Amino acid sequence: MSATVDVTSALQARFPQAAPRASLDHEAVNVPMGDVIAALQYLRDEFAFDVLTDLTAVDWSEAMAPRFTMVYHLFSSTRHVYVRIAADCASDTAPSAPTAIGLWAGANWLEREVFDMFGITFDGHPDQRRILMWDGYPHHPLRKDFPLAGIEAPLPDAEIVAETGMAANPVPLAGGPFVAHSGQINMAEAEPRAKDESWNERRPKPE
Amino acid sequence: MVSSRTELGYDSKIEGEVIVSRRDAIINWVRTNSMWPMPMGLACCAIELMGSGGARFDIARFGAEVMRFSPRQADCMIVAGTVTYKMAPQVRRIYDQMSSPKWVIAMGACASTGGMYRSYATLQGVDRIVPVDVYVSGCPPRPEALLDGLMRLQDKVRHEPAAGKLFTA
Ligand code: SF4
């Protein structure tokens, strides 16, 4: 099926700034943030991409500009093709994107997750709250500058903190991150293990 | 345990109606055999906890089948699963609402130490917010392991100086 050619060129015809995006699997298109909702609606209505499979973001790290990219994965349940739409956030310090709830109601929680994990705000989102971390948590864990072990943060409940003296502490990673070496023949060696054993609970991580 | 000194227990005048024992023994005997768990099921371990309530493992054999979903009616919190920081205050709050005396079993690697979740979101051991009496290892522990933990807790309760605490506190 020639759907792959169709989508990019059709999008480019309609949105002149759209550009093909390098992709190893499915067709992908870069779209300016201002056009993204219109482009998604165009794909949904004209090309039967009726399922929002996923909506997420990429943090390219503090040094990069643009730093944040929104990514939308669409699927057509009638034509059985996927397409990926990416849009860079204009601001690196206060990134934002328009909400896609008007097109797919299911975008609601996905956008809350992106807000929670990346700190990207969604214009027009009716219920912009954290979804995974607790209210008042000051960090965005999926940003590149957030350490895997976490950063000390106050617990939400002052009463409990007074009782227990607890805070959300960085965890001892004991040499993490833990990774599974897939494809190894010996299953005993394929189980998750620390990449780096040079530090542990007692000895701090060498910087 | 309960004494069976026959010369008193079977005195013909008071036959069969008086048993002499120690306060500790009586109180602990009661507590040991009617431990009502508060099932704090937070993740996969909770399924094993449910399994231990089923017919095959039958936690009722230990008098602990009465899972209470109200903390005020429970005296043994079984923390079964991953405690996240988001959940931690609620766990502590439920613990606070349980009436004394109360005990805590940390069931599984997650509840005991954070388990494999070495991550910013997970409390690294429920003993940071509540005092734990028994840790059950495993991921998940089999119901037998939980029952073993329960028996160890019963053992602990059996030897507690209960009466002293009861009448002085
Ligand atoms: S110890 Fe294992 S089975 Fe139990 S809650 Fe944690 S991950 Fe699940």
Side-chain angles (χ1 to χ4, degrees):
Chain A
M1 197 165 171
S2 60
T4 46
V5 192
D6 282 343
V7 172
T8 308
S9 44
L11 271 177
Q12 276 181 309
R14 181 132 177 180
F15 306 98
Q17 291 190 62
R21 180 184 176 82
S23 167
L24 287 179
D25 45 13
H26 302 285
E27 191 177 8
V29 189
N30 284 323
V31 172
M33 189 54 94
D35 287 342
V36 72
I37 294 301
L40 291 173
Q41 178 154 23
Y42 180 57
L43 289 176
R44 185 190 72 172
D45 296 343
E46 306 295 324
F47 289 85
F49 282 103
D50 47 356
V51 183
L52 177 70
T53 318
D54 197 9
L55 174 168
T56 184
V58 184
D59 177 8
W60 299 104
S61 87
E62 314 93 286
M64 304 282 280
R67 177 173 174 181
F68 294 99
T69 301
M70 283 298 303
V71 181
Y72 302 84
H73 287 149
L74 305 187
F75 176 68
S76 167
S77 64
T78 48
R79 300 193 301 142
H80 308 297
V81 281
Y82 288 93
V83 66
R84 179 182 302 123
I85 301 295
D88 295 331
C89 291
S91 167
D92 295 344
T93 47
S96 71
T99 179
I101 297 178
L103 302 176
W104 294 278
N108 189 324
W109 281 19
L110 299 175
E111 286 178 355
R112 279 176 66 188
E113 187 185 0
V114 171
F115 167 67
D116 190 354
M117 292 288 132
F118 291 94
I120 295 175
T121 53
F122 288 88
D123 306 329
H125 195 292
D127 185 25
Q128 184 104 302
R129 281 180 301 137
R130 290 180 168 270
I131 191 167
L132 296 173
M133 307 303 286
W134 59 95
D135 292 332
Y137 186 70
H139 308 292
H140 301 290
L142 283 188
R143 288 194 174 183
K144 279 283 194 300
D145 50 2
F146 185 87
L148 186 63
I151 303 174
E152 178 156 352
L155 270 194
D157 199 319
E159 235 173 88
I160 302 292
V161 173
E163 187 76 27
T164 62
M166 265 292 300
N169 295 316
V171 299
L173 283 181
F178 300 89
V179 287
H181 298 281
S182 59
Q184 279 180 344
I185 310 288
N186 185 343
M187 289 309 286
E189 287 176 10
E191 54 180 43
R193 61 190 53 227
K195 268 182 176 165
D196 170 13
E197 298 285 356
S198 64
W199 57 286
N200 54 33
E201 274 92 343
R202 257 168 258 120
R203 236 165 350 127
K205 183 179 187 180
E207 286 304 330
Chain B
M1 277 315 293
V2 178
S3 156
S4 58
R5 274 187 289 168
T6 46
E7 71 272 19
L8 244 177
Y10 290 93
D11 187 303
S12 57
K13 294 195 182 94
I14 48 175
E15 192 176 358
E17 294 188 359
V18 174
I19 297 173
V20 175
S21 178
R22 291 176 297 115
R23 294 180 305 180
D24 270 4
I26 294 281
I27 294 169
N28 287 344
W29 176 63
V30 172
R31 286 180 181 170
T32 306
N33 295 300
S34 66
M35 205 162 265
W36 289 8
M38 166 80 226
M40 199 70 231
L42 300 171
C44 14
C45 271
I47 306 293
E48 302 293 319
L49 174 58
M50 293 175 216
S52 58
R56 178 181 289 259
F57 302 102
D58 197 13
I59 201 170
R61 292 177 293 152
F62 305 93
E65 81 279 26
V66 195
M67 303 270 172
R68 300 321 299 203
F69 295 91
S70 159
R72 288 169 226 288
Q73 299 166 353
D75 56 2
C76 169
M77 177 187 263
I78 301 180
V79 186
T82 320
V83 187
T84 58
Y85 283 116
K86 197 170 182 175
M87 194 63 189
Q90 283 77 330
V91 173
R92 174 70 204 198
R93 180 140 298 168
I94 289 173
Y95 176 79
D96 284 340
Q97 287 173 353
M98 287 163 59
S99 49
S100 286
K102 50 193 170 185
W103 300 275
V104 178
I105 297 178
M107 179 181 178
C110 283
S112 302
T113 67
M116 61 179 165
Y117 298 107
R118 293 270 182 250
S119 94
Y120 54 87
T122 305
L123 184 67
Q124 301 294 303
V126 73
D127 50 5
R128 300 194 180 194
I129 50 166
V130 294
V132 175
D133 294 282
V134 175
Y135 300 86
V136 181
S137 66
C139 176
R142 285 192 47 89
E144 293 97 325
L146 177 63
L147 294 182
D148 183 53
L150 180 68
M151 286 160 72
R152 278 164 200 264
L153 180 59
Q154 288 182 329
D155 222 40
K156 183 177 173 179
V157 173
R158 208 171 275 136
H159 297 107
E160 267 180 0
K165 280 189 197 159
L166 194 66
F167 293 118
T168 57

